[in-house]
Amino acid sequence: MERPVTEADLTFDHVPETDQSFENALAKARDGERLAVDDAIELLTTGTESEGIDRKRKERVLEAADRRRAEQVGEEVTFIANLNNNVTTACNVGCLFCNFKDAAHTFETETEIETAGFTKTPAESREIVSDAVDRGIYEVTSVSGLHPAFALDDEHREILDDHPNPKAVNYKPPERYDTSPGTYTDQISAMSVDGVHVHSMTPEEAYHARRGTDWSYEEVYRRLKDAGLDTVPGTAAEILVEEVREVICPGKISTDGWLEAMEAAANVGLGMTATIMYGHVENEAHRALHLKRIRDLQDRTGNITEFVPLSFIHQNTPLFEHDVVSSGPSIDEDELLIAVSRLFLDNIDHIQSSWVKYGDEQGLKMLNCGADDYMGTILSEEITKRAGGGFGEFRSFEDYAEMIASIGRIPVERSTDYEQRRVIDPDDPPFGPRLGPKADGTPLLTRAERDERDTVPADD
């Protein structure tokens, strides 16, 4: 049996070595010049001529990024009233950074293995979203496992049912499972309640939604848009460099495929976000190349509203359990990634800080490193929690007003596309959403409901 790859075995063609100097790269950043990949590498490493992070140099990068943030978007810190409704944990892609998924075969009716996961029917999704819309959310975000029974729509289901080799296209009919997820268009239509904004269908899910066909990504996203999809989350990007993807997610959509899908979504008029998931096996050269590919995509489309750095949560993931990684990124790396994203992505206005990934204290610190958005209320959040994250799954408007005001910034409720904004006065309670289709300023949860959530232990 072949020995599994460990951290010590990893070698890459792309390494953090440049002919640029840190000082020159920082000068370009301060002057507002468009940065090259080598500039980003120098800033992310605080100079490739020496090992480790130079703290004094790091602070200079953070200062430059915070200044750029102030010039570009001012002192407002935005957030959104949203719900996460992940449809299913069933997946068999086998990404080594993920502990959200549950093996798809454990959901089958005939199996004797008890699954710890879940699949929601479209009716269940609609009920969950409808309740959240009544409470005042603006947006529902939905990112799910690649359930083998998922099809794009009824036509796609017929094609997959008639496929001569369904295993080759990762398909099993819904009758094989205890619960059918329906089709993607069923789920999108179900979640499109009373004008709520539906943010769903990553490039990876779009790839799954066209398997076994010759349909283009534009055709897939056009059908999803007709079903009620409003914007696309640019997750599944991880690191957009193939030599990294071959280690952490060899079964996942390729770099070129991800970029093709995102461009297609833009071509049919869907807005989108973009992400990076960093701090695992990749190095600073890979991070810089990823930023370049996101910037180039934005140059072509102009549709990316925000960039979302996702700090790798290593606990409970196969990468950690198999000794491929020993930890996630350091706080220094987190801060530099936020800062360099602000300085490098000169065509994307908004950089997000994630309290789910960083926690409240460090999440607020990121708002002084170049970030200007502080995520959303997230009435439910399974993905990070199942990977070992420990920072909870809900933030109220009261929390937001207090935290953002504590660092001298202005709390602002926003829409998904940032076009609608409502400044919140921290001295004028009660605090609740007003931009959602049924929002009236009432807090999303009552105090009793919040207390009940706080006492429920997180899953192991």
Side-chain angles (χ1 to χ4, degrees), residues 3-12 323-324:
R3 182 176 65 85
V5 172
T6 67
E7 191 170 16
D9 298 320
L10 295 176
T11 58
F12 292 116
D323 295 323
V324 183

mmCIF file of all heavy atoms in Angstrom, residues 3-12 323-324:
data_model
loop_
_atom_site.group_PDB
_atom_site.id
_atom_site.type_symbol
_atom_site.label_atom_id
_atom_site.label_comp_id
_atom_site.label_asym_id
_atom_site.label_seq_id
_atom_site.Cartn_x
_atom_site.Cartn_y
_atom_site.Cartn_z
ATOM 1 N N ARG A 3 2.291 4.781 0.772
ATOM 2 C CA ARG A 3 2.257 5.642 1.957
ATOM 3 C C ARG A 3 1.610 6.985 1.611
ATOM 4 O O ARG A 3 1.914 7.582 0.579
ATOM 5 C CB ARG A 3 3.697 5.877 2.443
ATOM 6 C CG ARG A 3 3.790 6.716 3.708
ATOM 7 C CD ARG A 3 5.240 6.817 4.174
ATOM 8 N NE ARG A 3 6.064 7.526 3.223
ATOM 9 C CZ ARG A 3 6.177 8.864 3.183
ATOM 10 N NH1 ARG A 3 5.497 9.608 4.026
ATOM 11 N NH2 ARG A 3 6.960 9.446 2.291
ATOM 12 N N PRO A 4 0.703 7.496 2.454
ATOM 13 C CA PRO A 4 0.069 8.778 2.162
ATOM 14 C C PRO A 4 1.061 9.939 2.224
ATOM 15 O O PRO A 4 2.067 9.882 2.930
ATOM 16 C CB PRO A 4 -0.988 8.907 3.269
ATOM 17 C CG PRO A 4 -0.502 8.030 4.371
ATOM 18 C CD PRO A 4 0.200 6.887 3.704
ATOM 19 N N VAL A 5 0.779 10.972 1.457
ATOM 20 C CA VAL A 5 1.625 12.161 1.449
ATOM 21 C C VAL A 5 1.531 12.860 2.802
ATOM 22 O O VAL A 5 0.460 12.981 3.388
ATOM 23 C CB VAL A 5 1.169 13.129 0.332
ATOM 24 C CG1 VAL A 5 1.913 14.445 0.428
ATOM 25 C CG2 VAL A 5 1.391 12.491 -1.034
ATOM 26 N N THR A 6 2.658 13.316 3.306
ATOM 27 C CA THR A 6 2.674 14.111 4.535
ATOM 28 C C THR A 6 3.257 15.483 4.229
ATOM 29 O O THR A 6 3.722 15.758 3.122
ATOM 30 C CB THR A 6 3.512 13.441 5.633
ATOM 31 O OG1 THR A 6 4.886 13.441 5.223
ATOM 32 C CG2 THR A 6 3.048 12.022 5.888
ATOM 33 N N GLU A 7 3.232 16.345 5.244
ATOM 34 C CA GLU A 7 3.724 17.708 5.077
ATOM 35 C C GLU A 7 5.167 17.727 4.587
ATOM 36 O O GLU A 7 5.542 18.545 3.742
ATOM 37 C CB GLU A 7 3.599 18.441 6.416
ATOM 38 C CG GLU A 7 3.830 19.931 6.346
ATOM 39 C CD GLU A 7 3.458 20.613 7.653
ATOM 40 O OE1 GLU A 7 3.312 19.926 8.680
ATOM 41 O OE2 GLU A 7 3.307 21.842 7.635
ATOM 42 N N ALA A 8 5.977 16.812 5.069
ATOM 43 C CA ALA A 8 7.398 16.791 4.706
ATOM 44 C C ALA A 8 7.626 16.403 3.247
ATOM 45 O O ALA A 8 8.682 16.684 2.685
ATOM 46 C CB ALA A 8 8.145 15.818 5.616
ATOM 47 N N ASP A 9 6.635 15.764 2.623
ATOM 48 C CA ASP A 9 6.798 15.290 1.248
ATOM 49 C C ASP A 9 6.503 16.361 0.201
ATOM 50 O O ASP A 9 6.843 16.184 -0.972
ATOM 51 C CB ASP A 9 5.845 14.108 0.982
ATOM 52 C CG ASP A 9 6.144 12.918 1.871
ATOM 53 O OD1 ASP A 9 7.323 12.632 2.099
ATOM 54 O OD2 ASP A 9 5.181 12.288 2.351
ATOM 55 N N LEU A 10 5.852 17.430 0.589
ATOM 56 C CA LEU A 10 5.335 18.383 -0.385
ATOM 57 C C LEU A 10 6.435 19.241 -1.002
ATOM 58 O O LEU A 10 7.237 19.855 -0.302
ATOM 59 C CB LEU A 10 4.297 19.299 0.272
ATOM 60 C CG LEU A 10 3.015 18.611 0.758
ATOM 61 C CD1 LEU A 10 2.130 19.618 1.477
ATOM 62 C CD2 LEU A 10 2.270 17.982 -0.409
ATOM 63 N N THR A 11 6.467 19.264 -2.322
ATOM 64 C CA THR A 11 7.340 20.177 -3.056
ATOM 65 C C THR A 11 6.516 20.812 -4.163
ATOM 66 O O THR A 11 5.639 20.167 -4.751
ATOM 67 C CB THR A 11 8.542 19.443 -3.670
ATOM 68 O OG1 THR A 11 8.063 18.411 -4.554
ATOM 69 C CG2 THR A 11 9.433 18.850 -2.595
ATOM 70 N N PHE A 12 6.792 22.072 -4.444
ATOM 71 C CA PHE A 12 6.014 22.796 -5.444
ATOM 72 C C PHE A 12 6.930 23.504 -6.428
ATOM 73 O O PHE A 12 8.060 23.894 -6.091
ATOM 74 C CB PHE A 12 5.117 23.844 -4.768
ATOM 75 C CG PHE A 12 4.013 23.259 -3.935
ATOM 76 C CD1 PHE A 12 3.983 23.462 -2.562
ATOM 77 C CD2 PHE A 12 2.996 22.523 -4.524
ATOM 78 C CE1 PHE A 12 2.966 22.940 -1.791
ATOM 79 C CE2 PHE A 12 1.972 21.998 -3.756
ATOM 80 C CZ PHE A 12 1.950 22.200 -2.390
ATOM 81 N N ASP A 323 -1.685 14.117 8.721
ATOM 82 C CA ASP A 323 -0.371 14.740 8.886
ATOM 83 C C ASP A 323 0.126 15.455 7.633
ATOM 84 O O ASP A 323 1.340 15.612 7.435
ATOM 85 C CB ASP A 323 0.686 13.704 9.316
ATOM 86 C CG ASP A 323 0.391 13.127 10.694
ATOM 87 O OD1 ASP A 323 -0.081 13.891 11.549
ATOM 88 O OD2 ASP A 323 0.617 11.922 10.891
ATOM 89 N N VAL A 324 -0.797 15.885 6.792
ATOM 90 C CA VAL A 324 -0.398 16.703 5.648
ATOM 91 C C VAL A 324 -0.166 18.137 6.096
ATOM 92 O O VAL A 324 0.678 18.849 5.552
ATOM 93 C CB VAL A 324 -1.461 16.649 4.529
ATOM 94 C CG1 VAL A 324 -1.009 17.444 3.303
ATOM 95 C CG2 VAL A 324 -1.744 15.202 4.137
#
